[in-house]
Amino acid sequence: MRHGRRRVTWRGTALVVGAVTAGCALVTALPLDSGVDDPFVVEGAVGETLDLDYAELTVTDVRVADTVAGFAETALAGGTFVVVDVTWRATQQATTFAGAEITDARGRRYWPAALGDCAVSVSTQPGYAWHATYCFDVPQEALAGATVRLARGSQSEEYAEQRRDAVAVVGLGITADEAPALWEATETVTPEPQGFATPATTGEGDEG
Amino acid sequence: MTTLVTPAVPGPGGEHYPRQPAPGLPPGRPPGMLPGSVPPGPPSRAPRRGWWRRNAVWLLLLPLAVVVAAGASSFRVWAFWWPTGLHEEVDRVAQGGVAHLTSEYLDLWSTVPGRAGTTVVREVDVTVTGVEQVTALPAPLYGDPTPIPEGSAAYAVRLHLAAEPQTDLLGCQVVLVADDGTRYGEDTSDALTGTLNRCLPADAEDSLSVEPAWDVTSYVLVDPGVTVAEVWLAFGGPEYVTIDLP
């Protein structure tokens, strides 16, 4: 316990007040929260294998269809289905890839539809590549410039599950010129059920 | 520099010295002092205690405060992280040795009389009798053999298990760990052969052991070219045993 008298000077007072003011200004001005919480976004294109640290991801094909035919049910889109075929290969341990959404050019977000044999989340483990198909029911204006965002963290409202973690953002390659024709087409897609990726499901068998 | 002098903390000694204005100045506040300030008294002749001595109590309490703060901000780690992974190695042996896995669990729906709703200690002895790469998988109980996927290598893990009959082996995990730490085959079921429990024969009726000792073979896919360094046996964790491979 301190007793006696303490010397207080104008300069010391100014130093303390100045330091507190500078600290407050620094904390307010710097975007600390967003910098710390941002996911590590890995951008790519269809056909490109992306390294997400915890997995390797390849978007193998993108199709647009108004009907998805599954083993047990056939689903008709409210808008149109964007059908995204992917291959996941976990690289560290058994992993559930819970995040999948399409973001359109205006930033609106669309979550996958659990219809037909379409996947909503995918669980795999290291040692093999695993094929899955996601189906997103989107309006016409969402087609041009859309990207798909895939990760092991789910796409909660604020991407809370994806903070400080790797996230893949893949451009679907749909241009504004192509969008009307894709919207008008009346295609039916039968997604492959989830399973070990083969040359047929990864698209490699279609080449040449 | 203008100097202001104010009393710090009221205490004994603070009023021992008479308040005298400086010679030649009117009584009251000396120049440069804040209103209400008390002019300094003569310095004490007693040797002043150092900062470390004066704050000894708080310094002793500081480690305790750090522990309390860390605990308060992390107590839920036990509830959310610890039980849902393999975190506690309870035994470690070289291949050929007997690893003893002891783990405790709350049995909610046991069919064994008197066991439902009680905390059960599961004790299993495991010996790894062989780990070898195979070029084909055996046929499952129903259907054709699963072909080994392209870009994968398949390993057969042969285990000799021993446990008291009626030991519940639900959630058995046979994991191959590569030298870079990658864990292969953490999934409890064996999709390659259609086996639901990796610790029991494929035709087992439930998850309870029948014999006091038995052999099983489990199949795990790994990346081609990796070096498998360890086998882990677990039942969902957090406890597991490690068997080092040569």
Side-chain angles (χ1 to χ4, degrees):
Chain A
M1 194 66 70
R2 180 170 185 161
H3 301 297
R5 296 167 189 280
R6 182 178 298 162
R7 187 176 290 257
V8 178
T9 64
W10 286 115
R11 196 171 73 168
T13 308
L15 272 174
V16 170
V17 172
V20 171
T21 307
C24 289
L26 208 62
V27 169
T28 309
L30 290 179
L32 290 176
D33 290 343
S34 62
V36 168
D37 290 342
D38 281 349
F40 302 98
V41 176
V42 181
E43 294 183 325
V46 177
E48 194 178 338
T49 297
L50 305 179
D51 183 2
L52 299 185
D53 200 32
Y54 54 82
E56 291 170 358
L57 168 70
T58 312
V59 174
T60 54
D61 197 10
V62 177
R63 293 168 284 176
V64 177
D66 61 355
T67 305
V68 165
F71 177 75
E73 64 175 349
T74 297
L76 201 63
T80 193
F81 284 119
V82 176
V83 181
V84 181
D85 293 305
V86 307
T87 297
W88 284 107
R89 192 176 186 112
T91 53
Q92 294 176 343
Q93 60 190 52
T95 307
T96 296
F97 303 102
E101 73 169 12
I102 276 185
T103 309
D104 71 8
R106 292 178 295 178
R108 297 196 299 186
R109 299 159 56 188
Y110 304 91
W111 292 3
L115 299 168
D117 289 325
C118 303
V120 173
S121 77
V122 178
S123 294
T124 71
Q125 26 187 357
Y128 55 85
W130 191 255
H131 160 80
T133 301
Y134 300 97
C135 307
F136 302 88
D137 193 346
V138 303
Q140 182 179 2
E141 57 269 24
L143 289 174
T147 57
V148 65
R149 179 183 176 114
L150 299 162
R152 65 177 168 184
S154 65
Q155 66 280 357
S156 50
E157 293 297 337
E158 299 293 330
Y159 298 118
E161 304 294 325
Q162 297 178 358
R163 289 175 187 155
R164 300 177 292 279
D165 203 10
V167 165
V169 174
V170 176
L172 300 183
I174 302 174
T175 64
D177 294 338
E178 295 168 341
L182 290 171
W183 174 258
E184 295 296 336
T186 53
E187 302 285 336
T188 296
V189 164
T190 305
E192 283 281 324
Q194 290 190 43
F196 294 117
T198 62
T201 56
T202 57
E204 291 168 21
D206 301 338
E207 302 296 330
Chain B
M1 181 177 67
T2 308
T3 300
L4 313 174
V5 180
T6 59
V9 180
E15 301 299 325
H16 288 182
Y17 308 107
R19 297 177 183 176
Q20 296 290 340
L25 288 174
R29 181 161 57 93
M33 294 186 66
L34 291 176
S37 298
V38 178
S44 168
R45 291 186 180 180
R48 193 171 160 78
R49 290 189 302 163
W51 186 89
W52 294 99
R53 292 284 303 277
R54 277 185 280 121
N55 294 285
V57 174
W58 307 115
L59 288 168
L60 286 173
L61 286 176
L62 192 59
L64 183 66
V66 169
V67 170
V68 170
S73 61
S74 61
F75 72 98
R76 292 203 296 178
V77 164
W78 186 90
F80 288 99
W81 175 77
W82 180 256
T84 57
L86 310 183
H87 305 298
E88 185 183 6
E89 184 184 82
V90 294
D91 198 4
R92 185 179 197 121
V93 299
Q95 186 179 358
V98 180
H100 185 70
L101 173 58
T102 307
S103 56
E104 199 176 84
Y105 68 99
L106 179 61
D107 201 330
L108 290 175
W109 49 73
S110 178
T111 55
V112 180
R115 195 185 286 177
T118 62
T119 299
V120 180
V121 178
R122 179 198 290 116
E123 295 193 61
V124 179
D125 286 332
V126 58
T127 309
V128 174
T129 53
V131 177
E132 60 192 12
Q133 189 170 351
V134 295
T135 54
L137 297 169
L141 277 182
Y142 306 102
D144 298 325
T146 304
I148 297 172
E150 252 181 62
S152 301
Y155 273 76
V157 186
R158 303 185 202 288
L159 306 175
H160 178 75
L161 295 159
E164 199 174 304
Q166 300 284 289
T167 299
D168 198 332
L169 303 169
L170 186 70
C172 169
Q173 294 171 286
V174 178
V175 186
L176 294 183
V177 183
D179 54 358
D180 65 354
T182 306
R183 299 183 198 172
Y184 298 93
E186 275 179 284
D187 200 354
T188 53
S189 62
D190 182 355
L192 299 171
T193 58
T195 307
L196 292 176
N197 193 315
R198 290 179 178 272
C199 282
L200 288 170
D203 56 354
E205 290 182 1
D206 52 25
S207 58
L208 299 174
S209 64
V210 179
E211 304 291 334
W214 67 100
D215 294 304
V216 290
T217 302
S218 197
Y219 294 88
V220 178
L221 291 178
V222 305
D223 292 319
V226 300
T227 303
V228 179
E230 299 167 2
V231 179
W232 290 5
L233 183 81
F235 294 90
E239 303 89 355
Y240 66 94
V241 291
T242 301
I243 297 95
D244 288 306
L245 299 180

